[in-house]
C-alpha cells in the first residue's frame, strides 16, 4: 500500500470534524472534572464521617478501574435502568467523572503542599478562614496545581479516543469508519496521529512554560 | 470588624482588667505521647517587660510561645493575656475548639518565626498590609501608608514591591517583623528569629528588635541563643530546662553569676561557640 496524498486530502475535512468532537469532549470533560473534583476534594477534606469515606472509596474505585470498562458500563448498563443519553454525552460524563478523581487528588496534593508555616502565619495574624483560603492558601496551591492539571488535560485529550469503543464520532472513530468503508487505513491513521500531535505537542510546551512562570524563584 | 473596645494599642500597655500581669501561665502542662514537654508551668510577664527565654534545644521554649499564639493546645492549665483568658483547660478535658474569646485575645499577640513564614506570592508591602485590611478593616490607602512607614522603620523602604524570594533572609525577617507590628500587638513573640540567618545578616535584624525593645511599651518574649543580645535588651532572663524554669532573674545575674548548675552548664556550652 502506498501513500496517496490526494486521498489523504479528501478525507481530511471529515477527520478535522472528528478532531473537533474530540476537542469539545475534552473541554466538556475538563469542566466536569474541575467542578466534580473540587466537590470531592472539599468533602474529603471536611472529614465528615461516612460521607468522606464514601468519596474516598469513589476516588479509589474510579482510579482503580480502566476508563474503557467505565465507558462500556455506562454505555451498555445505564440504558437498562432507563437512563438513555447520546453516545457523546455518555462519553463526556464518563471522561469527566473519571478525571474528577484525579483532579480531586491534585487539589488535595496542591493544598497539602502549601507550607505549614503559611497556615501558622495566618493564625498569628488572626486572618479569618475566608481570606486565609482565598488570598493565602489557594493562590499558592493553584501555582502548583495548574501545571499538573494541564498535563492531565493533555492526557484526557488523548483518552477521549477510548470513546470510539462506544461509537462516539470523535477523531479515531472517524478514521475507523473511513478505513472500514474505503479499505484504506494508512492515510486515515497517519493523519490521526499527526492531528493528535499537532494539538498535544504545543499544549505540552504551553504547560511547561506555565509551570516555569508560576514557580517561585526560591 | 472589631469594636473600639476590642482594638488593641501598643501605646497603652496596662492590662484591660486591672491585673498587673500581661501574660500568665498557671499550671500549664503539655505532652506529646510520653514526652512531657511542660509540667505545671507557672510563668508571669509584666506589661512592657522584655523577657528572654534561654535553654537547651528541646526544653519547651518554642512550645510556650506556640501555646500563646494558639498554635498548640495545652493539655491542662490557664493562660491569660492582657487580663483575658486565652486557655482554660481542665485536666483530661477534650481539646477545646477555637472560641471567639480566644480569637479576640489572640489579636493582642504578634509572632515572628524562625523561618519567617512570609507569603511568597505577595510583595513586601502586601505582606504587611494584608492583616490590617482583612482583620482590622482598615482602608487600603491607610494600610499602605502605615505599611510603608513600618517597612521604612525596618530599613526596607527601598524594597516595598519585592516579593520575599527576591529578598535576603535578613530582609525577609525584617519584613516579617513589620508584618507582625502592623497589627499593633501588645505582646510580641520572637522564636529564635536569627537562627536561620547567615551570620552577617543577624545584626540588622537584632538592630530592629533592639529599636522595638527600647522605643515601645510592647511586652516582648524572646527565645534566643544570642546571649549578648539577650543580656543587653532584657529586663529578665528565664532559663528553661525540660519544661521547667530552673532559674530566672535580671540578665546580669543570670549571665554573670548563675546559681543553678544547669544554667552554668548551658551557658558554658553556648558561650564556647
Ligand atoms: N508537634 C510536635 N509533635 C511531637 N513532639 C513535639 C512537637 N512539637 C514539639 N515537640 C517536642 O517537644 C519538645 C520541646 O520542643 P520545643 O518547644 O520546640 O523545644 P525548644 O524550642 O526549647 O527547642 C521536644 O522534645 C520536641 O521534640
Ligand atoms: Mg525552639
Amino acid at each position: 500500500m502506498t501513500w496517496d496524498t490526494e486521498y489523504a486530502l479528501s478525507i481530511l475535512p471529515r477527520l478535522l470534524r472528528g478532531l473537533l468532537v474530540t476537542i469539545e469532549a475534552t473541554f466538556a470533560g475538563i469542566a466536569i472534572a474541575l467542578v466534580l473534583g473540587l466537590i470531592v476534594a472539599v468533602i474529603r477534606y471536611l472529614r465528615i464521617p461516612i460521607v468522606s469515606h464514601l468519596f474516598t472509596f469513589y476516588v479509589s474505585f474510579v482510579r482503580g478501574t480502566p476508563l474503557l470498562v467505565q465507558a462500556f458500563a455506562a454505555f451498555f448498563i445505564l440504558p437498562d435502568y432507563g437512563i438513555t443519553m447520546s453516545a457523546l454525552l455518555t462519553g463526556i460524563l464518563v471522561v469527566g467523572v473519571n478525571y474528577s478523581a484525579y483532579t480531586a487528588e491534585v487539589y488535595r496534593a496542591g493544598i497539602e503542599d502549601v507550607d505549614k508555616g503559611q497556615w501558622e502565619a495566618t493564625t498569628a495574624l488572626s486572618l479569618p478562614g475566608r481570606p486565609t483560603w482565598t488570598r493565602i492558601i489557594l493562590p499558592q496551591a493553584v501555582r502548583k496545581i495548574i501545571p499538573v492539571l494541564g498535563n492531565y488535560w493533555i492526557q484526557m485529550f488523548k483518552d477521549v479516543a477510548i470513546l470510539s469503543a462506544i461509537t462516539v464520532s470523535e477523531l479515531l472513530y472517524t478514521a475507523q469508519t473511513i478505513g472500514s468503508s474505503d479499505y484504506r487505513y494508512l492515510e486515515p491513521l497517519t493523519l490521526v496521529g499527526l492531528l493528535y500531535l499537532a494539538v498535544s505537542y504545543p499544549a505540552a510546551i504551553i504547560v511547561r512554560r506555565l509551570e516555569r512562570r508560576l514557580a517561585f524563584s526560591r | 470588624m472589631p469594636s473600639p473596645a476590642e482594638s488593641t494599642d501598643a501605646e497603652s500597655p496596662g492590662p484591660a482588667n486591672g491585673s498587673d500581669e500581661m501574660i500568665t501561665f498557671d499550671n500549664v502542662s503539655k505532652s506529646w505521647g510520653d514526652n512531657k514537654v511542660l509540667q505545671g508551668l507557672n510563668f508571669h510577664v509584666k506589661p512592657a517587660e522584655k523577657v528572654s527565654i534561654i535553654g537547651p534545644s528541646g526544653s519547651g521554649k518554642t512550645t510556650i510561645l506556640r501555646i500563646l499564639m494558639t498554635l498548640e493546645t495545652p493539655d491542662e492549665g490557664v493562660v491569660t493575656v492582657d487580663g483575658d483568658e486565652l486557655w482554660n483547660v481542665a485536666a483530661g478535658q477534650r481539646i477545646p475548639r477555637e472560641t471567639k474569646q480566644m480569637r479576640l485575645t489572640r489579636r493582642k499577640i504578634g509572632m515572628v518565626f524562625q523561618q519567617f513564614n512570609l507569603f511568597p506570592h505577595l510583595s513586601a508591602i502586601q505582606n504587611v498590609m494584608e492583616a490590617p485590611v482583612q482583620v482590622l478593616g482598615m482602608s487600603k490607602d491607610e494600610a499602605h501608608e502605615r505599611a510603608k512607614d513600618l517597612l521604612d522603620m525596618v530599613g526596607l523602604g527601598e524594597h516595598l514591591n519585592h516579593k520575599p524570594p527576591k529578598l535576603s533572609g535578613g530582609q525577609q525577617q525584617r519584613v516579617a517583623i513589620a508584618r507582625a507590628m502592623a497589627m499593633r500587638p501588645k505582646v510580641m513573640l520572637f522564636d529564635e528569629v536569627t537562627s536561620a540567618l547567615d551570620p552577617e545578616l543577624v545584626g540588622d535584624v537584632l538592630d530592629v528588635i533592639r529599636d522595638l525593645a527600647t522605643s515601645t511599651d510592647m511586652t516582648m518574649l524572646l527565645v534566643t541563643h544570642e546571649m549578648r543580645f539577650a543580656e543587653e535588651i532584657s529586663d529578665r532572663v528565664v532559663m528553661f530546662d525540660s519544661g521547667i524554669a530552673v532559674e530566672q532573674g535580671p540578665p546580669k545575674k543570670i549571665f554573670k553569676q548563675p546559681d543553678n548548675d544547669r544554667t552554668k552548664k548551658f551557658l558554658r556550652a553556648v558561650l564556647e561557640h
Side-chain angles (χ1 to χ4, degrees):
Chain A
M1 188 173 272
T2 51
W3 176 265
D4 181 343
T5 304
E6 203 174 312
Y7 174 68
L9 286 175
S10 77
I11 59 170
L12 189 56
R14 279 166 73 195
L15 289 174
L16 284 174
R17 244 173 283 138
L19 177 65
L20 194 63
V21 173
T22 295
I23 291 173
E24 283 168 357
T26 305
F27 276 107
I30 289 172
I32 293 171
L34 282 178
V35 175
L36 199 57
L38 185 62
I39 294 170
V40 173
V42 168
I43 288 175
R44 288 183 70 189
Y45 180 85
L46 293 177
R47 303 220 167 88
I48 307 165
I50 303 177
V51 181
S52 291
H53 282 104
L54 281 177
F55 278 84
T56 302
F57 176 74
Y58 165 86
V59 169
S60 310
F61 177 81
V62 169
R63 300 206 319 172
T65 54
L67 179 58
L68 182 58
V69 173
Q70 293 164 16
F72 275 151
F75 188 67
F76 291 115
I77 299 176
L78 287 185
D80 290 348
Y81 292 88
I83 305 170
T84 48
M85 290 174 285
S86 71
L88 179 61
L89 188 54
T90 308
I92 286 171
L93 284 176
V94 166
V95 169
V97 166
N98 184 274
Y99 273 83
S100 75
Y102 296 92
T103 304
E105 283 297 284
V106 175
Y107 287 140
R108 187 185 58 79
I111 288 163
E112 280 180 2
D113 215 33
V114 176
D115 189 72
K116 182 168 128 293
Q118 295 292 303
W119 292 96
E120 299 191 342
T122 64
T123 301
L125 291 168
S126 288
L127 276 190
R130 184 198 279 242
T132 293
W133 277 102
T134 62
R135 300 184 54 84
I136 307 300
I137 304 301
L138 290 179
Q140 293 183 60
V142 161
R143 282 172 163 76
K144 290 169 178 153
I145 285 171
I146 286 192
V148 184
L149 285 184
N151 285 322
Y152 273 121
W153 295 340
I154 294 171
Q155 198 181 317
M156 190 196 290
F157 165 70
K158 293 180 290 179
D159 270 354
V160 167
I162 288 174
L163 301 183
S164 63
I166 59 167
T167 75
V168 174
S169 54
E170 45 68 64
L171 180 54
L172 180 60
Y173 186 83
T174 309
Q176 280 176 316
T177 316
I178 294 170
S180 58
S181 65
D182 296 356
Y183 302 107
R184 284 193 76 97
Y185 284 97
L186 176 64
E187 292 83 2
L189 286 179
T190 305
L191 287 175
V192 163
L194 290 175
L195 288 174
Y196 271 118
L197 205 61
V199 175
S200 59
Y201 186 67
I205 290 176
I206 292 172
V207 168
R208 220 174 307 142
R209 289 240 177 98
L210 208 60
E211 188 166 18
R212 239 174 291 144
R213 267 193 54 186
L214 291 174
F216 303 117
S217 44
R218 280 250 160 155
Chain B
M1 178 120 358
S3 73
E6 291 160 4
S7 74
T8 62
D9 187 353
E11 283 135 45
S12 59
N17 72 349
S19 140
D20 60 350
E21 306 286 358
M22 179 55 80
I23 301 169
T24 67
F25 277 71
D26 286 305
N27 191 32
V28 174
S29 299
K30 174 75 186 176
S31 315
W32 275 282
D34 293 336
N35 184 3
K36 296 194 170 108
V37 177
L38 302 179
Q39 300 181 56
L41 173 69
N42 294 299
F43 174 56
H44 290 198
V45 180
K46 295 239 174 309
E49 199 180 5
K50 322 295 184 226
V51 178
S52 288
I53 301 177
I54 62 171
S57 160
S59 59
K61 306 180 300 293
T62 294
T63 303
I64 293 170
L65 299 196
R66 288 174 61 85
I67 286 174
L68 271 171
M69 200 64 262
T70 71
L71 297 171
E72 302 290 356
T73 310
D75 300 333
E76 185 184 350
V78 180
V79 179
T80 70
V81 173
D82 196 24
D84 291 334
E85 211 166 79
L86 188 65
W87 295 107
N88 187 350
V89 189
Q93 188 185 333
R94 226 166 47 93
I95 296 165
R97 285 179 64 100
E98 190 174 285
T99 59
K100 180 148 189 273
Q101 163 83 13
M102 205 185 279
R103 283 199 293 273
L104 288 175
T105 309
R106 180 169 61 198
R107 280 198 202 160
K108 302 179 181 183
I109 310 168
M111 182 163 180
V112 183
F113 300 88
Q114 188 173 342
Q115 296 298 338
F116 330 136
N117 295 344
L118 289 178
F119 305 131
H121 58 302
L122 301 180
S123 66
I125 193 150
Q126 287 171 328
N127 264 276
V128 180
M129 289 168 62
E130 189 66 21
V133 171
Q134 299 294 336
V135 183
L136 305 177
M138 198 179 281
S139 78
K140 286 224 165 97
D141 286 345
E142 189 188 351
H144 189 275
E145 223 23 61
R146 293 195 51 233
K148 208 165 148 297
D149 290 347
L150 284 165
L151 287 169
D152 272 337
M153 182 192 79
V154 300
L156 281 163
E158 309 279 292
H159 301 280
L160 301 183
N161 297 315
H162 286 60
K163 290 191 179 166
K166 294 264 179 289
L167 300 172
S168 74
Q171 291 171 327
Q172 290 190 54
Q173 193 59 296
R174 284 181 280 150
V175 174
I177 292 171
R179 180 176 72 173
M181 289 297 296
M183 289 293 285
R184 294 189 176 162
K186 285 191 163 187
V187 175
M188 268 283 249
L189 311 174
F190 297 86
D191 189 10
E192 292 194 36
V193 296
T194 56
S195 304
L197 301 179
D198 295 334
E200 72 271 18
L201 304 175
V202 168
D204 288 342
V205 173
L206 293 184
D207 287 346
V208 168
I209 300 174
R210 183 186 296 107
D211 273 356
L212 294 178
T214 51
S215 70
T216 72
D217 280 335
M218 265 191 319
T219 308
M220 287 169 53
L221 218 53
L222 295 96
V223 173
T224 183
H225 286 304
E226 303 281 341
M227 296 302 154
R228 198 161 309 160
F229 182 70
E231 177 169 359
E232 184 192 339
I233 68 145
S234 318
D235 301 312
R236 177 161 53 118
V237 175
V238 185
M239 162 74 196
F240 264 91
D241 197 8
S242 310
I244 299 163
V246 295
E247 181 169 11
Q248 52 181 306
K252 288 234 158 37
K253 165 89 178 82
I254 299 292
F255 290 118
K256 298 284 181 323
Q257 301 146 338
D259 296 325
N260 186 284
D261 284 343
R262 284 194 268 183
T263 314
K264 289 178 193 166
K265 188 161 157 256
F266 171 73
L267 287 175
R268 222 176 303 130
V270 186
L271 296 175
E272 262 164 27
H273 287 296

